[in-house]
Amino acid sequence: MDTKETIFSAPGKIILFGEHAVVYGYPAIVSAINLKTKCIIKESHLNEVQLSISSNYLLSKSSDSNMLNYIINHENREFEPKTKVSQRSVNPAYYFIVEKILNMTTSQKSPFIHIDSEIPPGIGLGSSAANAVAVIASLSSFMNINLSLAELNEFAFEAEKIIHGKPSGVDNTVSTYGGIQHYKQKKFTKLSVPDIDTHIVIVNSGIQRNTKHYIEKVADLMEENPEKYQNILEQIGKLTLNAKSSLLKGEVKELGNRMKQNHLLLNELGVGHPILDELVDSLDHYGSLGSKLTGAGGGGCIISLFE
Ligand code: PMV
């Protein structure tokens, strides 16, 4: 039995500009953050795939510890989940990842997968994408499957669709490739931002929300009143392009103002929350250059720019 551990980690993210509009083909500016998910895989002495999940973040109320088990029969290359679909507590995305990887290999190894995340879930910091990227990278490597970064990213996007319905792919892309990115319709470019003396503060409202719900909410509003909502998305798209140019030139005051405008447009889009507005106001009092909600909205986090 192999006693080595295979470990990969993947970062969470913040959307600086363009959330929701990015689902409709407009650009977004997004950055990886220094909170990560680590996936550690050891060989199990049982003929089983086992999964345990723990979260070591301090800010969330909930903490998960779940088991996902497959019995693997190495002789006839079959594997069978131990729990019926209706009784599963583990997110179906993990079943998808494990089954797809087991189907790609003839390896006789039985993995024990441990996911350890610092990223609070459900608050817009890209925890599900980071988890998917870290698990796919570790499990494929453990099973001696070579995946390019592009393949890893596409695989994680499939997992994201199981969780969020119709995501843009921005979360998995920034978690796979890192850095600060301009992202549009599954294509990204990394931005080299000048060394400006600013900080982005992330404030967690403590209100957990469901990304899928807010993606669907915007889709419903688009159906009800396409003219109004298309117009808001277009404005966010233009704002994002202007923000990109401010970012590349290091124009921090303009950047702050554009964050304020983006926040107002997200409110108009129907994904705001009164507590988020209160946070934006109080950050103003502390001298912020501009603040906005980040991610799907309805709660989650505020990002705020400080000199
Ligand atoms: O809240 P998060 O981290 O799941 O981000 C969602 C961002 C959206 O633009 C609303 C959806 C997407 O897939 O881009």
Side-chain angles (χ1 to χ4, degrees):
M1 196 174 83
D2 194 348
T3 52
K4 273 191 310 205
E5 289 182 342
T6 306
I7 306 176
F8 278 79
S9 63
K13 66 95 199 22
I14 48 174
I15 297 183
L16 297 169
F17 294 93
E19 47 274 272
H20 286 289
V22 69
V23 175
Y24 295 85
Y26 295 99
I29 312 281
V30 60
S31 173
I33 57 173
N34 59 356
L35 292 176
K36 291 180 183 163
T37 292
K38 190 158 74 172
C39 178
I40 305 145
I41 304 193
K42 292 184 222 169
E43 188 157 4
S44 160
H45 55 278
L46 304 168
N47 271 353
E48 289 187 5
V49 180
Q50 294 176 302
L51 175 101
S52 75
I53 302 173
S54 64
S55 302
N56 61 3
Y57 48 84
L58 299 169
L59 297 168
S60 172
K61 284 172 245 148
S62 69
S63 87
D64 292 344
S65 183
N66 289 311
M67 292 299 286
L68 158 153
N69 295 71
Y70 280 87
I71 313 282
I72 313 183
N73 182 333
H74 285 303
E75 263 157 44
N76 56 14
R77 305 283 328 127
E78 275 176 4
F79 51 91
E80 197 187 315
K82 263 187 173 176
T83 15
K84 287 193 201 122
V85 177
S86 57
Q87 289 162 0
R88 289 176 185 177
S89 61
V90 173
N91 194 298
Y94 295 116
Y95 283 90
F96 164 75
I97 292 170
V98 167
E99 286 180 17
K100 184 160 167 163
I101 291 185
L102 290 179
N103 273 320
M104 287 163 90
T105 178
T106 52
S107 166
Q108 299 268 313
K109 285 159 107 183
S110 303
F112 177 82
I113 308 163
H114 178 65
I115 302 170
D116 194 356
S117 183
E118 309 170 331
I119 311 167
I123 57 161
L125 298 184
S127 67
S128 63
N131 292 355
V133 171
V135 174
I136 296 165
S138 297
L139 189 55
S140 58
S141 168
F142 177 83
M143 290 297 203
N144 304 318
I145 298 164
N146 255 331
L147 290 182
S148 66
L149 282 182
E151 286 165 334
L152 166 61
N153 189 30
E154 194 56 42
F155 192 161
F157 185 43
E158 295 302 311
E160 280 284 274
K161 284 192 228 166
I162 294 171
I163 302 171
H164 299 311
K166 195 193 156 213
S168 63
V170 70
D171 286 20
N172 47 280
T173 303
V174 75
S175 188
T176 302
Y177 294 95
I180 301 182
Q181 300 180 4
H182 170 269
Y183 177 91
K184 187 179 170 182
Q185 291 175 322
K186 295 180 78 182
K187 294 206 168 56
F188 75 97
T189 37
K190 281 205 183 177
L191 303 177
S192 13
V193 175
D195 199 4
I196 36 180
D197 197 13
T198 49
H199 296 273
I200 288 188
V201 175
I202 304 174
V203 182
N204 182 359
S205 71
I207 304 167
Q208 284 195 330
R209 80 291 173 286
N210 182 293
T211 298
K212 188 167 185 251
H213 169 81
Y214 282 92
I215 293 178
E216 284 169 3
K217 179 175 179 184
V218 173
D220 289 347
L221 291 170
M222 284 284 280
E223 225 176 273
E224 269 169 38
N225 193 341
E227 213 176 307
K228 174 178 172 190
Y229 290 98
Q230 188 63 48
N231 181 274
I232 299 172
L233 296 180
E234 241 173 78
Q235 288 187 61
I236 295 177
K238 280 190 195 138
L239 183 72
T240 302
L241 286 181
N242 291 333
K244 178 183 165 190
S245 132
S246 303
L247 188 64
L248 293 174
K249 289 187 205 147
E251 299 167 345
V252 288
K253 291 223 160 65
E254 285 75 1
L255 213 52
N257 284 333
R258 297 195 202 289
M259 285 170 74
K260 288 179 189 171
Q261 289 162 20
N262 197 164
H263 183 76
L264 295 176
L265 286 167
L266 287 164
N267 272 345
E268 273 186 55
L269 196 60
V271 299
H273 189 288
I275 301 268
L276 299 182
D277 292 338
E278 272 181 40
L279 282 173
V280 167
D281 287 347
S282 49
L283 287 158
D284 255 8
H285 289 299
Y286 283 104
S288 163
L289 297 173
S291 312
K292 67 178 272 292
L293 71 84
T294 186
C301 289
I302 291 288
I303 52 170
S304 191
L305 187 68
F306 282 88
E307 259 182 328

